[in-house]
Amino acid sequence: MADARNRHHGYGHRLKRMRSYGSKPPIAGYGEEAPAAVNASIDCGWGRLFFGQTFFEPGPLLEGLEEEGPDRRDIAFYIRDPHVLLGHAPQELFLDPSHTYRLDLSTYRPSRRRPRGFFVRRLSSVSDATEVNRIYQSRRMVQVDPDFFWSNRDNRALTYFVAEDETTGAILGTVTGVHHGRVFDDPENGSSLWCLAVDPQTPHPAVGEALVRRLAEHYQARGCAYMDLSVMHDNEAAIGLYDRLGFYRVPFFAVKRRNQINERLFTGGQEADEGLNPYAGIIVEEARRRGIQVDILDAAGGFFRLTYGGRSVRCRESLSELTSAVAMSICDDKSTTRRLVSEAGVKVPEQIVADDEGELASFIEKHGSIVVKPARGEQGRGIAVGIETMDEARIAVAEAKKECERVLVESCFEGSDLRLIVIDFKLVAAAVRRPAEIVGDGRTSVRKLIESVSRRRAAATHGESRIPMDGETERAVRAGGYEMDDILPQGESLTVRRTANLHTGGTIHDVTGIVHPRLVEAAIAAARAIDIPVTGIDLMIKDPREPDYVFIEANERPGLANHEPQPTAERFVDLLFPLSMPASARVARRRMPPLS
């Protein structure tokens, strides 16, 4: 058997012969026909993929997995008898709880329907690689050195496709393929799909399906017999897609190392965690990673208790016992918040209470456009933006009163919504929040497009983000020149909410690296005025790079799961348990100047 090798600028795929064990049959029982290479593996950037059918003994495979580098996820695939391999290193390895699905490329038929609003192409630039990593991070996947992508762009064993928005040029999704015949002389002439990931905030449907089909057609054209993939056993949405495309289950298994990245897969299901939303889950996961004891008090409500070194702190998501009842009460009353931060030098919009129609009419005449919101409330409920007439104002006030009897009216500052996460009076993350938007395909009504985007947003956020089908959505649609049952032309974008709250379908985009220092100063000043250790400060801005802003509100329980790649959960746990940080990290942090 030949030992094939292929190196591409120090990266790329490589076949590795660790040791030869003669002509014994493969340990996993792969049939009578022996593979044409021994101990085959390929570096995929996120880790190595070991082809189990090419290993004659467990020793070389175990040695290969033991060489797994930091922040990598090696996978031993096609392990038909995993109990044999696991028996040699039960403390180091585990059986991946995923199913293997196969698409028979000899019978696969491409879809006649072409993607609308986006297209699929090869990865072709370093910026593509950066965007792929952004999507990986949003999906909590292992990132890849952009140089690896770029160095392997012409690799015949690895294939990278991306989906690109036709209008904006944004990268919406990605998929990686491995041609087995290029890695080793595979007698079955197979291929496999890896790292399918779609931006959770994409406005287009069927991006994942288009990427899978493009890769299948790519390998079909190259004469491959099948395309396999591995999918978590409980990923019902993905399994449903693969079923529709004609994939079927095959009895192959994967084995991985017990490392930090894989911890959730081998520690067993924390049944009490199942009801936690992403905002509580991200903190619980970080705490467990540090060895902090976690007790789930009420999963549905997001309540848990963290215990470390004799200290115990109860939390509800990012709201902990460190936030005083006074600070929480201030955040709950938007008028009080506004007065306190204004006295601290933070710019605030002009405001009145909506209890006199004459005063309200004068306020509209003076400012032209206003914001109506309940004096108390959260998650954007009852807020109406861009009100310009008394008729609209009356409707908006009535809606706001469903949340709180006292309703506030503010002058409208045209611009973008900026959320700044301030923990321990230091900026941790800044993100522009954008209102829910749909993109037309020339055949679907506005109503159905909204419903479709809302379903995708809900799936991507575990039900936290949905576009309400209410009067505010209808008003935004009419303001854009359409009715709910109109057909939106192909490629045309329509904003369907005036507020950018995540819970009403908004999207969030990290700008921490470019935010203007004046905006950071305003956020920290507001947090100090309220005297709150963890808060989300909302500003309306012209541009995150510019100093212009007005203060909107402070949130005492900001969602930390919305701010990848910033370490929001890490800084939250640092605040609660500073001794849980490694000593070197504590020293480095003391030396770093605050980001303010």
Side-chain angles (χ1 to χ4, degrees), residues 173-496:
T174 179
V175 70
T176 300
V178 177
H179 190 305
H180 299 179
R182 299 293 184 184
V183 181
F184 65 101
D185 191 10
D186 180 16
E188 294 184 342
N189 198 24
S191 64
S192 52
L193 177 155
W194 301 91
C195 296
L196 176 65
V198 177
D199 188 332
Q201 301 186 135
T202 179
H204 299 289
V207 174
E209 177 179 342
L211 286 163
V212 174
R213 286 187 177 279
R214 180 68 181 86
L215 191 64
E217 290 156 22
H218 171 80
Y219 286 133
Q220 185 182 52
R222 282 151 183 78
C224 291
Y226 60 80
M227 183 172 75
D228 289 350
L229 58 84
S230 180
V231 58
M232 282 294 294
H233 69 96
D234 57 356
N235 190 345
E236 295 179 0
I239 290 173
L241 167 63
Y242 302 141
D243 283 340
R244 292 196 303 275
L245 295 181
F247 284 81
Y248 57 92
R249 284 273 305 276
V250 287
F252 301 116
F253 302 95
V255 170
K256 298 176 181 177
R257 278 185 59 82
R258 294 176 183 262
N259 59 25
Q260 187 180 97
I261 295 171
N262 294 322
E263 186 173 3
R264 287 177 296 171
L265 303 179
F266 64 80
T267 54
Q270 298 286 342
E271 295 185 3
D273 292 7
E274 292 181 359
L276 289 176
N277 63 34
Y279 309 117
I282 191 174
I283 298 170
V284 165
E285 183 176 333
E286 174 62 19
R288 286 205 172 104
R289 187 183 68 81
R290 299 192 191 191
I292 296 171
Q293 180 181 333
V294 177
D295 297 307
I296 307 300
L297 305 178
D298 179 53
F303 291 91
F304 53 90
R305 179 171 52 239
L306 305 180
T307 304
Y308 184 82
R311 181 182 186 184
S312 181
V313 181
R314 287 184 301 172
C315 306
R316 183 185 186 190
E317 300 166 8
S318 64
L319 177 65
S320 76
E321 292 175 337
L322 275 64
T323 296
S324 71
V326 172
M328 184 174 173
S329 180
I330 291 170
C331 290
D332 185 52
D333 189 326
K334 294 178 174 60
S335 292
T336 303
T337 308
R338 178 183 176 278
R339 288 194 298 271
L340 282 174
V341 302
S342 178
E343 291 172 3
V346 178
K347 297 178 185 177
V348 298
E350 188 174 343
Q351 183 186 93
I352 63 171
V353 178
D355 54 7
D356 182 279
E357 283 212 351
E359 189 178 5
L360 178 57
S362 299
F363 197 82
I364 294 173
E365 184 177 357
K366 177 181 178 180
H367 295 286
S369 181
I370 63 170
V371 178
V372 176
K373 60 186 181 182
R376 286 186 166 88
E378 59 181 2
Q379 299 182 351
R381 291 191 292 265
I383 298 177
V385 177
I387 300 297
E388 297 178 346
T389 68
M390 275 300 296
D391 287 341
E392 290 179 339
R394 291 188 187 97
I395 295 172
V397 169
E399 286 297 315
K401 284 190 174 183
K402 293 178 182 178
E403 300 296 323
C404 178
E405 185 60 29
R406 188 162 171 263
V407 176
L408 306 175
V409 177
E410 293 179 347
S411 56
C412 188
F413 182 97
E414 292 295 334
S416 300
D417 187 327
L418 178 70
R419 163 64 63 88
L420 301 108
I421 300 295
V422 178
I423 298 177
D424 198 18
F425 307 111
K426 300 178 183 69
L427 179 71
V428 176
V432 169
R433 302 191 297 178
R434 295 175 184 156
E437 182 181 80
I438 58 173
V439 178
D441 60 6
R443 63 188 180 210
T444 307
S445 70
V446 169
R447 186 187 308 278
K448 289 189 178 299
L449 288 171
I450 293 173
E451 291 172 348
S452 178
V453 171
S454 185
R455 284 194 299 271
R456 292 200 302 278
R457 295 292 295 131
T461 61
H462 302 277
E464 294 296 314
S465 181
R466 289 186 173 88
I467 305 174
M469 299 296 284
D470 58 11
E472 179 65 11
T473 296
E474 292 178 0
R475 190 173 69 83
V477 169
R478 284 195 297 272
Y482 293 92
E483 296 295 333
M484 296 294 283
D485 294 320
D486 290 346
I487 303 298
L488 192 62
Q490 182 176 348
E492 183 166 334
S493 299
L494 178 65
T495 299
V496 297

Side-chain angles (χ1 to χ4, degrees), residues 484-520:
M484 296 294 283
D485 294 320
D486 290 346
I487 303 298
L488 192 62
Q490 182 176 348
E492 183 166 334
S493 299
L494 178 65
T495 299
V496 297
R497 297 290 293 188
R498 300 297 294 271
T499 58
N501 195 282
L502 181 77
H503 292 274
T504 56
T507 59
I508 190 161
H509 309 268
D510 182 69
V511 295
T512 308
I514 62 172
V515 67
H516 195 281
R518 189 74 57 80
L519 306 180
V520 179

